[in-house]
Amino acid sequence: MSAIFRSHLDKFIHLSDQEYQEILTFFEAHSVSKKEYLLQEGQVCKKHYFVLKGCLRKFFINEKGVEQTTEFAIENWWLTDHIAYERQLQSGFHIQAVEKADLLSISHSSQENLLQQHPKMERYFRYVYQRAFAASQMRIRYLYGLSREELYRHFNEHYPEFVQRVPQYLLASFLGFTPEYLSEIRSRNRS
Amino acid sequence: MSAIFRSHLDKFIHLSDQEYQEILTFFEAHSVSKKEYLLQEGQVCKKHYFVLKGCLRKFFINEKGVEQTTEFAIENWWLTDHIAYERQLQSGFHIQAVEKADLLSISHSSQENLLQQHPKMERYFRYVYQRAFAASQMRIRYLYGLSREELYRHFNEHYPEFVQRVPQYLLASFLGFTPEYLSEIRSRNRS
DNA sequence: CGGTCTCTTGACGGAGTTCAAAGCTAGTGG
DNA sequence: CCACTAGCTTTGAACTCCGTCAAGAGACCG
């Protein structure tokens, strides 16, 4: 199972077998079932999760009581509430499994130790955050530049497998509009 | 002038005077005047900018020909088109000085060399990207959770000095609505 | 002082929301 | 493996936030 993580790391840095084994000791493995929660609002955010298989989402509840999904994580992505994780504070987010999932997790203190003892991982995480930030910048650009309908079409063209993979109400929540409106767009596209 | 950069670095990593002098050789200093462009759409994004003093913005032109500001950078923030910088591609953004500004810049190849030769800077940039990504996550949360009017009020409460500092039409562009609507909100707030 | 940016005001229109109700689908237990 | 139910999707009508357009009032700079 953790061969998946090894081949992911290999894309960014070169590690000996021994180094890899040492690095693995900093992580824990989890399996979670569909809809299981990994973090709930108000809890201290203890873990940074890496998805080996399956799908997670991060969301919050807005003033009207509606769930707003801000991020999905599928295979080879990290997920946490970065602000709450970094400072070990209470989180304003929920993290939940969308599908049953296999995960690795690392606690904040373990991550600190890992980075101290394995400077190569400093480089690895620099890449991870850089990539995540770049993706976030693109996301903001689309949120600003496109209407809700264009946003859906764009997403549908670029990530068709993902659109198949998650229920529509989660997709609507992620794109920032209502399931009703998504349904309307889809019917327009058909005719 | 570069004492500013030194004290900024000191917040994240510890450097000897000699190390700092070596590190500085990887950077270039610039002064730019108000409205001067540092990057235009279609150009290869060569530089990563650090603001010592002043204010920059990053924007793109949407299909209707309207400028959409996606990011500001003031003192102690980095700014670039990360996707285009990382891969040395043509950018879809403009970067422009909002006020006259003093900057440091580093080219992509210099940054690679810097990180190779000074692993402490790997750690520094990991922090920088981590912080930037966390900020970006908060931004996305607000974009999703708040109406345009709430967005303005929230921004106004949390960054009042910044609201004073930039013209209103740039603020409107950054918050994702029209100057006309901003004007309407402001008049409602007064009465 | 004259001209070009910037901000304000108001009328109108449209994209997207809200609410309510009905139709569908998939997972669960029997 | 079927039936039942909870959860998901669709439809439609009324409404609202915010954009667009146009025109005027300030404000700042040479």
Side-chain angles (χ1 to χ4, degrees):
Chain A
M1 174 158 100
S2 47
I4 296 170
F5 189 47
R6 174 76 196 253
S7 70
H8 168 72
L9 289 176
D10 283 346
K11 284 184 224 153
F12 300 96
I13 52 176
H14 180 72
L15 295 172
S16 70
D17 288 348
Q18 196 200 331
E19 275 176 317
Y20 180 62
Q21 289 308 324
E22 282 175 34
I23 284 167
L24 261 194
T25 64
F26 291 85
F27 292 88
E28 256 182 78
H30 303 261
S31 283
V32 291
S33 51
K34 188 171 171 175
K35 307 236 170 181
E36 195 172 328
Y37 282 89
L38 292 156
L39 173 68
Q40 302 222 43
E41 194 179 333
Q43 293 177 345
V44 173
C45 182
K46 298 224 168 75
K47 305 276 192 176
H48 196 182
Y49 296 101
F50 180 81
V51 180
L52 295 165
K53 179 151 177 39
C55 180
L56 305 180
R57 71 178 180 123
K58 183 165 89 180
F59 67 95
F60 68 97
I61 313 277
N62 70 17
E63 306 102 62
K64 292 169 198 144
V66 177
E67 294 182 359
Q68 294 283 150
T69 302
T70 61
E71 206 175 349
F72 286 107
I74 57 171
E75 288 77 14
N76 293 339
W77 275 90
W78 287 92
L79 188 68
T80 193
D81 173 356
H82 290 275
I83 294 169
Y85 174 72
E86 199 51 37
R87 306 192 189 158
Q88 291 292 287
L89 299 174
Q90 289 194 351
S91 174
F93 289 94
H94 302 261
I95 294 178
Q96 187 192 32
V98 174
E99 308 166 352
K100 80 183 165 58
D102 297 326
L103 310 169
L104 293 179
S105 77
I106 188 165
S107 72
H108 188 255
S109 58
S110 292
Q111 187 171 342
E112 288 289 311
N113 292 336
L114 173 62
L115 293 173
Q116 291 285 350
Q117 292 170 40
H118 295 273
K120 284 180 186 175
M121 292 303 282
E122 196 75 80
R123 165 167 280 245
Y124 166 72
F125 276 107
R126 197 258 300 159
Y127 277 126
V128 165
Y129 288 120
Q130 189 172 328
R131 186 174 71 142
F133 181 55
S136 188
Q137 290 306 102
M138 281 310 284
R139 172 109 171 270
I140 286 173
R141 171 157 179 165
Y142 291 130
L143 282 173
Y144 276 35
L146 304 179
S147 69
R148 304 291 160 106
E149 177 166 0
E150 290 166 333
L151 210 54
Y152 168 71
R153 296 204 165 147
H154 182 270
F155 198 75
N156 207 24
E157 280 167 23
H158 286 260
Y159 310 99
E161 357 58 53
F162 190 77
V163 173
Q164 298 304 323
R165 191 166 169 178
V166 300
Q168 285 185 45
Y169 72 99
L170 287 185
L171 190 62
S173 162
F174 177 69
L175 293 176
F177 49 77
T178 60
E180 290 93 331
Y181 188 58
L182 177 52
S183 182
E184 192 184 322
I185 295 169
R186 283 163 51 89
S187 76
R188 266 211 294 275
N189 274 9
R190 264 178 257 127
S191 58
Chain B
M1 173 159 97
S2 46
I4 297 171
F5 189 47
R6 174 74 195 254
S7 71
H8 168 72
L9 288 176
D10 283 346
K11 282 184 225 152
F12 300 95
I13 52 175
H14 180 71
L15 296 171
S16 70
D17 287 350
Q18 196 199 330
E19 276 176 318
Y20 179 63
Q21 289 309 323
E22 282 174 34
I23 284 167
L24 261 194
T25 64
F26 290 84
F27 292 87
E28 257 181 78
H30 304 262
S31 284
V32 292
S33 51
K34 188 173 171 173
K35 307 236 169 181
E36 193 171 329
Y37 281 90
L38 292 155
L39 172 69
Q40 304 223 39
E41 194 178 333
Q43 291 177 347
V44 173
C45 182
K46 299 225 167 77
K47 304 277 193 177
H48 198 183
Y49 296 100
F50 180 84
V51 180
L52 295 165
K53 178 150 179 39
C55 179
L56 305 180
R57 70 178 180 124
K58 184 165 89 180
F59 67 95
F60 69 96
I61 313 278
N62 70 16
E63 306 102 62
K64 293 171 197 141
V66 178
E67 295 181 0
Q68 294 282 151
T69 302
T70 61
E71 207 177 348
F72 287 107
I74 58 171
E75 289 76 14
N76 292 342
W77 275 90
W78 287 91
L79 189 68
T80 192
D81 173 356
H82 290 276
I83 294 169
Y85 174 72
E86 201 50 38
R87 308 192 186 157
Q88 291 293 288
L89 298 173
Q90 290 193 352
S91 173
F93 289 94
H94 302 259
I95 293 177
Q96 188 192 31
V98 174
E99 307 167 350
K100 81 182 164 61
D102 297 327
L103 310 169
L104 292 178
S105 77
I106 187 165
S107 71
H108 187 255
S109 58
S110 291
Q111 189 171 339
E112 289 290 311
N113 291 337
L114 172 62
L115 293 174
Q116 291 285 352
Q117 292 171 39
H118 295 273
K120 283 180 186 176
M121 291 304 280
E122 197 75 79
R123 164 166 281 247
Y124 166 72
F125 275 107
R126 196 258 301 162
Y127 278 126
V128 165
Y129 287 121
Q130 189 173 330
R131 186 173 72 143
F133 181 55
S136 189
Q137 290 306 101
M138 283 309 285
R139 174 109 170 269
I140 286 174
R141 168 157 184 166
Y142 291 129
L143 283 173
Y144 276 35
L146 304 179
S147 69
R148 304 290 160 106
E149 178 167 1
E150 289 166 335
L151 209 55
Y152 168 72
R153 295 203 167 147
H154 182 270
F155 198 76
N156 208 26
E157 279 167 24
H158 287 260
Y159 310 100
E161 358 56 55
F162 189 76
V163 172
Q164 299 303 323
R165 191 166 168 178
V166 301
Q168 285 184 44
Y169 70 99
L170 287 185
L171 190 62
S173 162
F174 176 69
L175 294 175
F177 49 77
T178 60
E180 290 93 330
Y181 189 57
L182 177 54
S183 182
E184 192 185 322
I185 295 168
R186 283 163 50 90
S187 75
R188 265 211 296 274
N189 274 10
R190 263 178 258 128
S191 58

